Amino acid sequence: MKNIALLGSGFIAGVHMEGWKRITGANIVAFFEIVPEKALNFQEKYSIPHYSSLPRLLEEKEVDIVDVCLPTFLHRDYVLQSAQAGKHIICEKPMALNVEDAVAMKNACQLNGVELMIGHALRFWGEYKKAKELVTQGKIGKILSLDAYRLSVSPTWSVVSWILQQNLSGGAALDLHIHDLDFANWVGGKPIEVFSRGVQSVNGSWDHAQTSIRYSDGIIANIEGGWMMKGEFPFTMGYRILGTEGVIEWEFRAGVNIEQRGDANPIIIYREGEKEEKINAQDDDAYYLELKYFFDCIENHRTIEQATPDHGITAVRIATAALESMEKGIIVRL
Ligand SMILES: NC(=O)C1=CN([C@@H]2O[C@H](COP(=O)(O)OP(=O)(O)OC[C@H]3O[C@@H](n4cnc5c(N)ncnc54)[C@H](OP(=O)(O)O)[C@@H]3O)[C@@H](O)[C@H]2O)C=CC1
Ligand SMILES: O=C1CO[C@H](CO)[C@@H](O)[C@@H]1O
């Protein structure tokens, strides 16, 4: 049994809450939220004690794990507070707004002897896991290129709309794009060069990005991400991986937002001289699987190997290099 404090009561905090409820031995002892009316709604829905101060929560409750579901600009501060209090931490992606903050978070956890995992949920998502597995098995030969995309309409659910402000969320180029940047790193290896072009919203936020990454063994990744889609454009994500002996392709469309996840399409594998092969790789909810993996690692003293702080830092490094590339029109060498 482990006691968990949930920080935030917004969109992803609700998704995590549903995940934690399914994990035997995971006991949510309290949640932290500074907005009173949001706290009231969450408390009514889940019947768990509310705190508007993290130090007070940690003083009054026995806590083993802190789950940081706060806006991105708060990740560093709350991870540092939790690490200094000796708690293991799972923190939502993007790890931080910049590499310096992300490194400080990793160091604080190391210094205080606590574990840290980052919410890179695609590493737990059936079709992305399967793609990685197929690539590792050599199903399509040596990988040459990877295309991935993630597109949605603008997220407007936050009361203060922190997410629409570049300096608080990093814009879609950091917030949304980062999922596929991390996926590309997982498949591609060591990134060495980033070039990106982007589109800014009226408020100056980089909200649509097309980023090209070169990896050390020659793989090229082309990643598109943004939340400038219009009208009823459904949340869309997918990938196409080209190898010397085949292609793996997958596309998924949800509702207007990602929480409305229905049945997925199969992955399709194309190989020279063969009929297309369809694989249904849909798995349980990735957010639940991510939390369960983290929880099991903590309970059983196992090393966290997925969505590690280093994975989080590298993803932030590429996203911020992409932002620099967009702003200056240059190739950024890592
Ligand atoms: N892994 C994934 O697929 C997803 C990850 N995320 C990530 O999760 C994090 C949270 O995002 P999301 O749940 O969408 O955000 P929300 O805005 O829905 O929730 C964040 C909560 O924190 C509150 N908050 C705002 N400012 C402060 C502050 N200064 N101090 C304390 N709390 C504050 C918000 O209140 P208010 O409403 O007033 O702003 C809100 O209740 C982000 O880093 C985001 O990138 C988000 C969605 C999916
Ligand atoms: O995948 C996601 C869904 O969209 C959200 C914002 O629009 C992101 O924060 C999140 O990471």
Side-chain angles (χ1 to χ4, degrees), residues 9-12 32-35 38 69-75 92-94 119 157-160 162 175 179 287:
S9 66
F11 169 62
I12 202 68
F32 159 79
E33 170 63 64
I34 55 159
V35 187
K38 284 198 120 171
C69 292
L70 293 170
T72 306
F73 67 99
L74 299 169
H75 288 183
E92 260 306 337
K93 50 48 65 182
W157 54 80
S158 172
V159 175
V160 292
W162 64 272
D175 187 85
H179 287 288
Y287 301 96

Side-chain angles (χ1 to χ4, degrees), residues 268-331:
I268 308 181
I269 305 170
Y270 302 90
R271 282 158 53 90
E272 206 60 41
E274 291 179 17
K275 277 200 170 337
E276 65 176 32
E277 185 185 347
K278 291 189 176 170
I279 301 179
N280 183 353
Q282 192 172 17
D283 200 348
D284 206 333
D285 182 79
Y287 301 96
Y288 156 71
L289 293 175
E290 162 194 280
L291 295 173
K292 180 151 178 19
Y293 172 79
F294 173 73
F295 187 82
D296 288 346
C297 286
I298 300 295
E299 275 254 280
N300 302 310
H301 307 285
R302 273 206 310 268
T303 310
I304 295 172
E305 287 171 350
Q306 283 305 336
T308 64
D310 284 337
H311 295 150
I313 292 169
T314 307
V316 171
R317 195 182 299 286
I318 295 187
T320 50
L323 282 166
E324 186 187 349
S325 177
M326 283 182 249
E327 269 157 20
K328 298 183 182 161
I330 56 166
I331 293 175

Side-chain angles (χ1 to χ4, degrees), residues 3-7 28-31 54 57-58 63 65-68:
N3 287 346
I4 298 152
L6 184 65
L7 311 194
I28 307 275
V29 288
F31 76 102
L54 181 61
L57 188 165
L58 295 179
V63 172
I65 290 171
V66 171
D67 180 3
V68 181

Side-chain angles (χ1 to χ4, degrees), residues 11-12 92-94 150 152-155 157 162-163 175-176 178-179 227 235 257-258 287:
F11 169 62
I12 202 68
E92 260 306 337
K93 50 48 65 182
R150 180 165 274 250
S152 79
V153 296
S154 184
W157 54 80
W162 64 272
I163 202 162
D175 187 85
L176 195 63
I178 201 141
H179 287 288
W227 57 46
F235 192 99
N257 195 18
I258 196 169
Y287 301 96

